[in-house]
Amino acid sequence: MAKEKILVIGASGQIGVELTMALREIYGNSNVIASDLREQNELLRGTGPYVSLDVMNKEMLHVQVIRQGITQIYLLAAILSATGEKNPNLAWNLNMQGLLNVLDIAREEKLQKVYWPSSIAVFGPTSPKTNCPQHTIIEPTTVYGISKFAGEFWCNYYYNRFGVDVRSLRYPGLISYKSAPGGGTTDYSIEMFMQAKEEKQYQCFLQEDTYLPMMYMPDAIRATIELMETPSHNLSIRTSYNIHAMSFSPADLADEIKSHIPDFKISYQPDYRQAIANSWPQSINDSVARSDWGWKEQYSLKRMTNEMINQ
Ligand code: AKB
């Protein structure tokens, strides 16, 4: 394997912590540099290099890329759907400018690869609700969705125009226990697990029958690494790949949790996040990811719940 030096931006976040740990296993601790605006996550402490970095500060980012001899960047810093609706300007600026800074530096420094996550939030109310295809009507109604959709086309543009090998996945809601999520609509699922264990009750901010596409973090990390390891000529999508694992509603998840914690009680008090969830598909067609690079999920609702409860 060629010597890689990887920079993970947003390494203290929900995906960043687990992705950094997985990359360190593959490439060696000292070859994966974690960075974030926030403090280093406890789980990363002592496992490899860390730098404090603001993705909005292009000059500082550029200096780090040169100084550390970076060959790949994983850009995970973003403002998610629910927080984005509270501060649309901030969400647009961070989600867009952060990506453009990374793409520009990747072009100038001829980086080998860049990873940037998109989301099922690119889809909107006019997209098909079930089995939503890779290529379809895409009219997002959240600022987060708009920024991800625009970002996908910036990635496509930098690949076609400048040859930047940038790759992307449209993550569904991600469920994990190692590092807390922040500001997403699908975060109800993680809150439900935590409250079920701690309080044996949870008031959900979505209606009981709100079906959304979801994925357990180990599947998402594996998907990311598999996509990044696929030879470039096998990839037919340079915007972002649909990937799917499971689809469930808050009521389905509560039933599954009750099979482990029988006295768990759930109630429902939908808030502004219901409208965001209603605008998204309930399930995703990921046949292109399956045929291009062999994507296949390993976790069902049952298996994921079992692991979440036991951690
Ligand atoms: C969110 O809920 O905003 C995110 C997402 C679906 O991208 N988890």
Side-chain angles (χ1 to χ4, degrees), residues 80-81 119-120 144 184-186 280:
L80 301 188
S81 58
S119 161
I120 54 131
Y144 173 64
T185 304
T186 56
W280 293 344

Side-chain angles (χ1 to χ4, degrees), residues 177-237:
Y177 60 88
K178 289 191 180 153
S179 175
T185 304
T186 56
D187 296 354
Y188 85 83
S189 50
I190 301 175
E191 285 181 9
M192 197 188 298
F193 277 111
M194 294 179 53
Q195 298 280 315
K197 287 207 89 167
E198 282 164 20
E199 315 279 343
K200 296 202 174 1
Q201 58 181 359
Y202 176 59
Q203 188 178 80
C204 184
F205 58 75
L206 296 183
Q207 273 166 218
E208 59 182 306
D209 56 353
T210 312
Y211 278 85
L212 287 170
M214 297 282 192
M215 184 175 283
Y216 191 38
M217 189 61 87
D219 267 346
I221 299 297
R222 191 171 50 79
T224 307
I225 290 171
E226 282 177 9
L227 172 72
M228 291 298 274
E229 286 179 346
T230 300
S232 179
H233 62 261
N234 288 358
L235 302 178
S236 64
I237 301 292

Side-chain angles (χ1 to χ4, degrees), residues 12-298:
S12 292
Q14 188 199 8
I15 305 169
V17 169
E18 297 199 39
L19 191 55
T20 302
M21 292 195 294
L23 291 169
R24 282 183 173 160
E25 287 253 312
I26 299 171
Y27 295 96
N29 289 353
S30 59
N31 295 321
V32 180
I33 295 146
S35 75
D36 207 296
L37 249 189
R38 292 166 282 189
E39 274 202 9
Q40 181 170 201
N41 187 289
E42 277 308 313
L43 293 170
L44 295 180
R45 221 173 273 280
T47 69
Y50 174 82
V51 290
S52 174
L53 202 65
D54 180 358
V55 70
M56 301 297 274
N57 188 337
K58 189 175 173 187
E59 268 170 47
M60 284 310 293
L61 176 60
H62 203 156
V63 166
Q64 283 293 347
V65 166
I66 294 169
R67 187 181 290 162
Q68 310 269 3
I70 297 298
T71 60
Q72 297 188 23
I73 297 181
Y74 287 68
L75 169 57
L76 305 170
I79 290 183
L80 301 188
S81 58
T83 309
E85 291 313 289
K86 291 191 176 151
N87 200 335
N89 285 339
L90 181 67
W92 174 258
N93 286 337
L94 176 76
N95 294 355
M96 233 41 304
Q97 198 54 52
L99 173 62
L100 290 173
N101 288 350
V102 167
L103 290 175
D104 263 346
I105 292 169
R107 172 166 73 105
E108 282 170 46
E109 299 308 322
K110 300 194 172 27
L111 299 193
Q112 301 219 357
K113 284 179 213 164
V114 173
Y115 178 77
W116 172 81
S118 183
S119 161
I120 54 131
V122 293
F123 299 115
T126 49
S127 306
K129 274 277 163 232
T130 55
N131 205 25
C132 187
Q134 176 74 45
H135 301 287
T136 186
I137 300 170
I138 299 191
E139 296 178 334
T141 50
T142 62
V143 68
Y144 173 64
I146 297 169
S147 70
K148 287 295 180 188
F149 191 39
E152 287 187 4
F153 279 85
W154 276 117
C155 291
N156 196 47
Y157 181 82
Y158 269 72
Y159 173 72
N160 286 313
R161 174 99 202 260
F162 305 119
V164 175
D165 187 354
V166 49
R167 304 169 180 206
S168 177
L169 298 173
R170 289 174 177 156
Y171 288 134
L174 298 181
I175 300 158
S176 64
Y177 60 88
K178 289 191 180 153
S179 175
T185 304
T186 56
D187 296 354
Y188 85 83
S189 50
I190 301 175
E191 285 181 9
M192 197 188 298
F193 277 111
M194 294 179 53
Q195 298 280 315
K197 287 207 89 167
E198 282 164 20
E199 315 279 343
K200 296 202 174 1
Q201 58 181 359
Y202 176 59
Q203 188 178 80
C204 184
F205 58 75
L206 296 183
Q207 273 166 218
E208 59 182 306
D209 56 353
T210 312
Y211 278 85
L212 287 170
M214 297 282 192
M215 184 175 283
Y216 191 38
M217 189 61 87
D219 267 346
I221 299 297
R222 191 171 50 79
T224 307
I225 290 171
E226 282 177 9
L227 172 72
M228 291 298 274
E229 286 179 346
T230 300
S232 179
H233 62 261
N234 288 358
L235 302 178
S236 64
I237 301 292
R238 287 295 178 163
T239 49
S240 188
Y241 278 96
N242 278 9
I243 48 164
H244 191 64
M246 57 183 107
S247 171
F248 59 77
S249 67
D252 292 342
L253 181 58
D255 284 346
E256 203 55 46
I257 291 175
K258 277 184 205 159
S259 69
H260 295 264
I261 306 173
D263 48 349
F264 171 58
K265 300 252 173 321
I266 177 118
S267 59
Y268 299 94
Q269 185 80 59
D271 65 15
Y272 71 99
R273 289 168 279 195
Q274 185 65 46
I276 301 177
N278 288 347
S279 75
W280 293 344
Q282 299 178 342
S283 60
I284 301 289
N285 181 314
D286 58 2
S287 52
V288 184
R290 286 175 197 259
S291 68
D292 278 10
W293 46 279
W295 162 242
K296 182 154 177 38
E297 79 285 357
Q298 289 177 352

